[in-house]
Amino acid sequence: MSTTFAKDASSNGAAGGAHPVAGGAVGASIGASVRMAAISAVTNYKPISQPLNFADTPAQDLFCSNVFNKAEMKRRLPKPIFKSLLKTIELGEKLDPTVADIVAAAMKDWAIEKGATHYAHVFFPLTGATAEKHDSFLTPNNGDGSAIAEFSGSQLIQGEPDGSSFPTGGIRATFEARGYTIWDVTSPAYILENPNGTTLCIPTAFVSWTGEALDKKTPVLRSMQALNKQAQRILKLFGHTDASFVSATAGPEQEYFLVDRHFYFARPDLLNAGRTLFGAKPPKGQEFEDHYFGAIPERVLAFMLEVERELYKLGVPVKTRHNEVAPGQYEIAPIFETANLANDHQQLTMITLRRVAEKYGMTCLTHEKPFAGVNGSGKHVNWSMGSASQGNLLNPGDTPHDNAQFLVFCAAVIRAVHKHQGLLRAVVASAGNDHRLGANEAPPAIVSVFLGDQLTDVFEQIKAGGAKSSRSKGTLNVGVDVLPPLPKDAGDRNRTSPFAFTGNRFEFRAVGANQSISGPLVAMNTIVAESLDYCATKLEAATKGDSSKLNSAIQTLLSEIINECGDIIFNGDGYSEAWHQEAAKRGLLNLKTTADALPQLLEPRVEELFEKYQVLSKRELHSRYDIYMEQYCKTVSVEGNLTLKMARTLIFPAATRYQNELASACVNLKALGYECDTETLDKLTEVIKLLQGAMNELENVLRKDGGETLAEKAQHYCMDVIPAMTMVRKFADQLEGMVADDVWPLPTYQEMLFIK
Ligand code: ADP
Ligand code: MG
């Protein structure tokens, strides 16, 4: 670590790139020397590489330059092969395995022209991370000492990584470690560059030898199939029978923090837990709101430009960048894509953010709550569905007929969220996100839908009108009346809702910055598929093929849905106490923690949902529950042990050293005949004692097992360990405000957030 760091610091033009922990001026505390190093890194910042010049290489030329996309395939593949592949990519048809050898050869040639020596099957294990296994193209040529580059169809289609250490939730024992990676034709292969060589990366699904999903991609693909199938039935009722694939679409907005790397390495908590476990509130926080959309600092902007260039090359359509609310917090968002691709690209985005930040002497923090007391980071997942021929199905149309169709799709989403609030809460549950949800900066843990006043009014009118065919006051006739124009303007958004209609899509705002978007996408696709199935079944039964009955059937259906599920709609302030009470009255779930939320995955309605639409079998679902519960327990356990260790070995010693200094000063003053006021010493001694008590309590709690089942263990971590950690932190943070700055061992919030 120290060598990498020294190299980074010097290549950054940072003076005195000494290791921040080991180095530093004699006599100064670690905290102070790190601060000096970070200040030096910022003030001496010089661009590390040739300035990016989008005038020489325009962004449109860079875009997809490292992607084996449709244009590249068309150029390199025989026409029939290309056509066959397109059918799989665009219409979701089964892959014809006989094309694989030819595609593999073309892909290999393209990759080798780009300097690739290796290929890798890339997959997304249930840890939420990205995994890759690299293999060389080279095969020795029968004993003559030469080698040839080979890549066959079967190597493209299937790989067998040694996946034995990926979590499987009991699906596969370690001794039968066989897991297979299977080429996902719908997500294009790409080249990953490194100064020392390039690698052909092939997006794959990761399954056990029995075909069970061990990853986060497989269920996304399955849920997209389910959604398409049910959406087609609705479209058919409206006379659209071209069957062009209805795809879920997603646009994830990623929030993150940047801190100078000197701070990162000097904070064991950032290094090991991705968030600070200690740190007093700085005198200046985010209250001035001067950071939000403010000018982007030079080094940060340079980082952003490079991130964008790298992502363009990989075909990730990044669109917006800006400062977020908290100091040191930023956001990047792409243009939406089909859900599967958006998911892959989201993973690439996170990796790229981290990798490029290092180059600029910074660390990118994607934890949901790196700093207490300042805003946390979310990942708003914008979601809709659409097809090539019908466009966006959540876009209100211009004609009564289009509006009727829009209202059916919209009502299906409302019904789905109402029925599966528990599932939607469970898929955003994580130890990190628990610090964010409900903290008056992010949506509450209560799931509700924001529709906006106008659309709510439309549904109210439909509800009032029921099945009546004639127009009465305040009643809107589906299929006859045109909707009032709905606002699409971002200014009119309700930021406190976890699930908001934003003019032509829904925005799921409860997702955490560090989470894979796969879980939320799988949930949304599947619950909406189920709801569309419900709607289609009702409408088919009511019309029996007679399209003249469609409008009144829709009117009845919509009014039923709003009567049954309307309680999920809430347009007010989601942060308010009044909403918590109102939601309780409405019987909506309020699952505050991960330990409370994850058991929702085992609810019979959730099991049935995933089994019926063949997205996850019961075993696959349960394995996920186990893995996520374990992840929660492990995360809190690591944080608890780290809190104890840092308090014992960093904070307590600093506090007692300072205590000693004050005591000596007092003794000396008295010896000289001065009076000595011990007020500071008294207060300090008291807080040190409280800290000691809290550390002992945390140690006790950590020693306990917590229970037999995962659910019991999770509750133990949630109800016993976290509060004990919080107490240790409370006294440690008080000490930070008392102990002399030059002996305080940790970089402060002020430094980490504002030195950039
Ligand atoms: P805001 O911060 O106001 O919510 P942004 O422009 O940052 O808005 O993000 C909006 C996101 O929604 C973008 O990623 C955009 O591509 C995405 N989006 C737009 N239309 C759709 C759609 N039909 N399906 C999914 N995502 C969409
Ligand atoms: Mg948004």
Side-chain angles (χ1 to χ4, degrees):
M1 181 200 300
S2 66
T3 46
T4 337
F5 191 81
K7 182 170 141 268
D8 276 353
S10 57
S11 65
N12 245 336
H19 191 282
V21 178
V26 181
S29 75
I30 292 166
S33 67
V34 170
R35 180 194 313 155
M36 294 321 292
I39 291 171
S40 154
V42 178
T43 50
N44 293 310
Y45 167 72
K46 289 190 192 71
I48 50 170
S49 44
Q50 286 294 316
L52 293 182
N53 193 343
F54 285 110
D56 286 348
T57 316
Q60 63 268 31
D61 291 354
L62 273 180
F63 193 71
C64 276
S65 60
N66 277 347
V67 183
F68 195 64
N69 58 4
K70 282 179 213 157
E72 200 61 50
M73 290 185 202
K74 193 170 179 191
R75 208 170 298 141
R76 290 172 182 266
L77 292 173
K79 228 183 189 157
I81 306 271
F82 176 64
K83 274 194 173 157
S84 158
L85 215 52
L86 266 197
K87 275 193 184 146
T88 307
I89 297 169
E90 284 173 359
L91 304 175
E93 287 185 12
K94 259 201 153 56
L95 173 73
D96 171 4
T98 61
V99 307
D101 273 327
I102 301 162
V103 179
M107 210 187 262
K108 181 199 69 187
D109 291 346
W110 171 78
I112 287 176
E113 281 167 34
K114 296 244 164 217
T117 51
H118 287 67
Y119 69 94
H121 277 197
V122 176
F123 56 103
F124 308 121
L126 293 171
T127 54
T130 305
E132 335 174 316
K133 183 183 180 228
H134 295 211
D135 281 291
S136 166
F137 284 126
L138 289 187
T139 313
N141 220 353
N142 291 336
D144 70 354
S146 67
I148 48 162
E150 268 186 345
F151 186 51
S152 68
S154 60
Q155 283 167 313
L156 167 63
I157 289 185
Q158 188 171 312
E160 191 185 343
D162 176 14
S164 52
S165 9
F166 292 111
T168 66
I171 280 189
R172 187 196 51 187
T174 317
F175 63 84
E176 40 162 6
R178 273 192 301 173
Y180 294 102
T181 51
I182 297 169
W183 179 33
D184 170 15
V185 190
T186 62
S187 184
Y190 55 93
I191 297 272
L192 213 51
E193 288 177 351
N194 176 286
N196 290 342
T198 71
T199 305
L200 168 67
C201 292
I202 299 152
T204 63
F206 182 46
V207 297
S208 75
W209 64 281
T210 48
E212 284 166 300
L214 300 173
D215 70 343
K216 291 199 171 252
K217 179 191 268 282
T218 309
V220 172
L221 293 170
R222 292 178 187 160
S223 67
M224 287 175 75
Q225 295 284 346
L227 182 70
N228 170 52
K229 192 167 161 192
Q230 301 306 329
Q232 294 297 346
R233 287 172 64 197
I234 302 285
L235 288 177
K236 196 169 160 206
L237 285 159
F238 282 93
H240 308 303
T241 51
D242 65 89
S244 96
F245 192 86
V246 173
S247 179
T249 52
E253 304 161 47
Q254 173 80 51
E255 291 177 336
Y256 59 92
F257 279 86
L258 291 173
V259 294
D260 189 274
R261 291 197 98 203
H262 293 85
F263 297 134
Y264 178 72
F265 287 120
R267 299 264 333 196
D269 44 5
L270 281 184
L271 196 62
N272 290 292
R275 74 175 178 107
T276 54
L277 298 169
F278 298 97
K281 196 176 175 311
K284 182 186 171 189
Q286 65 189 47
E287 50 279 271
F288 290 99
E289 292 169 344
D290 48 358
H291 181 68
Y292 194 42
F293 279 71
I296 301 172
E298 183 71 13
R299 179 165 65 148
V300 174
L301 185 58
F303 150 84
M304 286 176 169
L305 286 162
E306 181 156 342
V307 165
E308 286 161 14
R309 182 184 63 177
E310 290 308 307
L311 290 173
Y312 285 154
K313 287 195 217 161
L314 297 169
V316 182
V318 273
K319 181 80 174 161
T320 63
R321 64 167 100 109
H322 60 81
N323 287 357
E324 263 301 326
V325 178
Q329 191 186 29
Y330 310 91
E331 181 184 293
I332 182 170
I335 295 171
F336 72 95
E337 299 178 278
T338 60
N340 177 39
L341 213 52
N343 182 39
D344 289 6
H345 283 168
Q346 221 291 304
Q347 297 286 130
L348 273 175
T349 303
M350 288 180 74
I351 292 174
T352 307
L353 285 171
R354 294 196 192 110
R355 196 166 42 92
V356 175
E358 277 178 32
K359 271 177 84 174
Y360 287 83
M362 299 184 285
T363 296
C364 175
L365 304 172
T366 50
H367 191 283
E368 284 81 7
K369 193 79 179 177
F371 304 99
V374 291
N375 269 13
S377 300
K379 181 142 54 195
H380 297 172
V381 178
N382 294 270
W383 178 94
S384 186
M385 53 200 149
S387 74
S389 64
Q390 294 309 307
N392 182 357
L393 296 172
L394 287 174
N395 209 353
D398 296 328
T399 66
H401 185 74
D402 288 348
N403 282 334
Q405 182 181 307
F406 158 73
L407 287 171
V408 172
F409 280 102
C410 191
V413 177
I414 294 168
R415 181 183 172 277
V417 176
H418 180 261
K419 183 167 180 198
H420 291 290
Q421 345 159 6
L423 172 63
L424 287 175
R425 175 63 186 89
V427 295
V428 297
S430 76
N433 214 16
D434 278 0
H435 297 288
R436 180 181 157 261
L437 294 182
N440 259 1
E441 54 166 273
I446 307 162
V447 175
S448 66
V449 175
F450 169 86
L451 281 187
D453 292 339
Q454 263 136 320
L455 193 53
T456 304
D457 192 47
V458 166
F459 278 110
E460 285 299 325
Q461 287 183 45
I462 291 168
K463 187 172 156 185
K468 269 181 257 165
S469 52
S470 68
R471 190 191 174 109
S472 59
K473 195 171 174 287
T475 304
L476 187 132
N477 275 319
V478 173
V480 179
D481 295 335
V482 180
L483 296 186
L486 302 172
K488 280 179 194 168
D489 153 40
D492 187 43
R493 305 271 188 80
N494 175 324
R495 300 236 153 234
T496 67
S497 173
F499 204 92
F501 184 70
T502 54
N504 58 5
R505 62 188 183 268
F506 282 91
E507 183 171 350
F508 192 11
R509 301 213 187 94
V511 186
N514 212 20
Q515 295 181 309
S516 151
I517 61 170
S518 155
L521 291 178
V522 171
M524 286 187 279
N525 295 346
T526 316
I527 64 179
V528 174
E530 183 196 51
S531 248
L532 291 174
D533 180 359
Y534 170 89
C535 294
T537 305
K538 288 244 162 176
L539 295 177
E540 284 160 4
T543 56
K544 297 197 179 68
D546 179 356
S547 63
S548 71
K549 292 185 182 154
L550 184 63
N551 286 339
S552 79
I554 293 173
Q555 191 106 20
T556 311
L557 174 75
L558 296 187
S559 105
E560 267 174 30
I561 290 182
I562 289 311
N563 269 309
E564 282 167 27
C565 311
D567 272 351
I568 199 78
I569 299 168
F570 176 64
N571 295 326
D573 178 3
Y575 296 169
S576 70
E577 185 46 41
W579 167 235
H580 283 245
Q581 287 166 14
E582 165 70 15
K585 246 191 255 155
R586 292 189 193 181
L588 300 180
L589 293 172
N590 185 359
L591 305 164
K592 292 205 169 74
T593 68
T594 299
D596 294 335
L598 280 179
Q600 288 291 319
L601 294 179
L602 305 183
E603 287 286 312
R605 76 171 65 194
V606 175
E607 284 176 0
E608 282 158 25
L609 168 81
F610 285 126
E611 284 214 307
K612 179 163 181 197
Y613 297 95
Q614 298 178 350
V615 173
L616 290 170
S617 70
K618 203 167 149 177
R619 221 159 86 98
E620 288 170 328
L621 184 63
H622 282 234
S623 76
R624 271 147 222 264
Y625 165 81
D626 286 353
I627 289 166
Y628 302 150
M629 272 298 209
E630 267 166 25
Q631 265 173 1
Y632 174 76
C633 294
K634 276 186 203 157
T635 305
V636 182
S637 164
V638 166
E639 289 185 350
N641 284 298
L642 200 55
T643 300
L644 189 58
K645 176 141 197 250
M646 287 175 70
R648 280 249 159 89
T649 63
L650 287 168
I651 292 163
F652 180 76
T656 50
R657 266 175 215 154
Y658 184 55
Q659 185 185 34
N660 192 31
E661 198 177 313
L662 288 178
S664 314
C666 214
V667 170
N668 291 344
L669 283 171
K670 276 193 176 154
L672 291 172
Y674 287 100
E675 269 194 25
C676 177
D677 179 0
T678 58
E679 193 188 324
T680 309
L681 181 58
D682 295 343
K683 181 81 188 128
L684 183 75
T685 307
E686 186 192 325
V687 181
I688 290 177
K689 207 167 164 45
L690 290 167
L691 175 70
Q692 254 176 321
M695 290 190 304
N696 293 340
E697 174 57 19
L698 176 58
E699 184 165 30
N700 282 339
V701 162
L702 280 170
R703 240 188 250 129
K704 291 193 186 121
D705 184 34
E708 289 289 302
T709 64
L710 279 170
E712 285 165 0
K713 284 190 208 296
Q715 284 296 341
H716 164 65
Y717 281 109
C718 178
M719 304 306 291
D720 305 331
V721 177
I722 292 179
M725 283 165 57
T726 309
M727 284 313 274
V728 172
R729 174 178 190 152
K730 181 178 156 193
F731 299 124
D733 289 359
Q734 282 180 16
L735 289 171
E736 187 184 327
M738 307 169 90
V739 170
D741 180 79
D742 65 346
V743 285
W744 192 253
L746 295 169
T748 65
Y749 269 31
Q750 190 76 25
E751 293 160 355
M752 290 185 284
L753 292 170
F754 290 97
I755 299 180
K756 54 181 188 262

